[in-house]
Amino acid sequence: MRRIDKGPPPASLSHHAAHPDATYDDYREKQDLREALVRDQRGLCCYCMRRIRATSDGVRIEHFRPRRHEELQLSWTNLLGACPGVVKNAREIHHTCDVSKGDQEISVDPQRLRPGEIRYLADGTITTADVDAQADIDDVLRLNHPTLVGNRRKVHDELIRQLIGAGGRGAWGVARLAQKLAEIREGPALPEFAGLMEFWLERRLRRLEPA
């Protein structure tokens, strides 16, 4: 999970929401919405940071506050893009992200994340100091499902392998770390699990930069 900063809503959504009796089900231009959500989230699920695409089966339109809050059904700030919400472990299929969340309320909001609020351990586990947010991560969104943890661990291990390189531990200096961060963040799409990569690069930068 990484902070999402929204751009402008699709014009078709604003136009539809302006009608007094408008509902989400009546909104027909949902492809406009998919494209805007994928744009703002740089191609990553709002929760697990796996790849999403602006197609009907490539992204789920998530209501952060459940749809029973009728006044928020068409609110741009309440709409997010989520992955299909499926992970496989051996022969079993498990649900994560908004599929697992369903109509439950959660406190951890990708649009309101503060710097350092979410931490990524070397083994791929997501942690936070907020007890309620940790319960959302573990029990509602299931972001610490073993498959997701394992995928994040692989990204972490590959990043550390690059940082260490042939020159031994700490071979990368401040300039090269900053360049790597910029490379990750450039372009319309982020790499999967970009939040983890940013966390570890920023952590190493803080250790190298003078106080």
Side-chain angles (χ1 to χ4, degrees):
M1 189 181 296
R2 71 190 299 273
R3 183 180 173 90
I4 295 170
D5 295 309
K6 280 184 171 288
S12 61
L13 178 68
S14 299
H15 178 75
H16 179 73
H19 294 278
D21 299 326
T23 68
Y24 177 76
D25 288 334
D26 292 337
Y27 176 49
R28 303 304 179 193
E29 291 82 13
K30 289 188 174 65
Q31 182 58 26
D32 294 348
L33 182 53
R34 294 185 191 101
E35 291 174 1
L37 292 171
V38 172
R39 173 203 70 199
D40 285 357
Q41 295 171 208
R42 310 276 300 282
L44 298 185
C45 173
C46 59
Y47 296 129
C48 71
M49 298 183 297
R50 286 182 292 175
R51 178 67 60 225
I52 57 174
R53 295 176 175 83
T55 62
S56 58
D57 59 355
V59 62
R60 291 174 55 88
I61 299 172
E62 152 75 334
H63 288 75
F64 177 74
R65 299 291 301 278
R67 286 181 59 182
R68 63 176 176 271
H69 298 279
E70 295 182 1
E71 74 282 5
L72 297 176
Q73 283 190 8
L74 293 167
S75 172
W76 174 231
T77 57
N78 194 50
L79 297 167
L80 299 169
C83 69
V86 174
V87 294
K88 296 181 179 180
N89 187 357
R91 296 183 179 180
E92 297 180 327
I93 295 177
H94 300 269
H95 292 146
T96 66
C97 302
D98 84 306
V99 178
S100 174
K101 171 178 172 277
D103 63 355
Q104 298 178 76
E105 301 272 4
I106 61 175
S107 62
V108 57
D109 184 351
Q111 296 178 86
R112 298 178 181 274
L113 291 178
R114 301 180 301 276
E117 183 175 354
I118 300 292
R119 296 173 56 84
Y120 300 92
L121 304 186
D123 67 358
T125 303
I126 298 177
T127 68
T128 179
D130 186 301
V131 174
D132 291 334
Q134 189 69 54
D136 292 338
I137 289 168
D138 292 335
D139 303 327
V140 182
L141 300 171
R142 298 180 183 173
L143 300 186
N144 281 326
H145 182 280
T147 298
L148 294 178
V149 169
N151 289 340
R152 289 192 296 265
R153 183 176 63 247
K154 291 177 183 177
V155 171
H156 168 271
D157 291 350
E158 173 58 22
L159 179 65
I160 296 302
R161 186 193 66 78
Q162 294 177 24
L163 296 182
I164 295 172
R169 191 168 187 83
W172 283 34
V174 170
R176 195 171 180 191
L177 288 168
Q179 180 183 10
K180 181 67 173 179
L181 261 175
E183 290 172 358
I184 290 170
R185 292 167 173 167
E186 70 182 9
L190 293 162
E192 287 190 299
F193 308 114
L196 177 147
M197 302 170 75
E198 292 171 316
F199 174 83
W200 281 90
L201 288 168
E202 289 170 350
R203 177 179 177 177
R204 184 164 290 229
L205 267 171
R206 287 194 297 270
R207 290 180 175 180
L208 291 178
E209 289 176 335

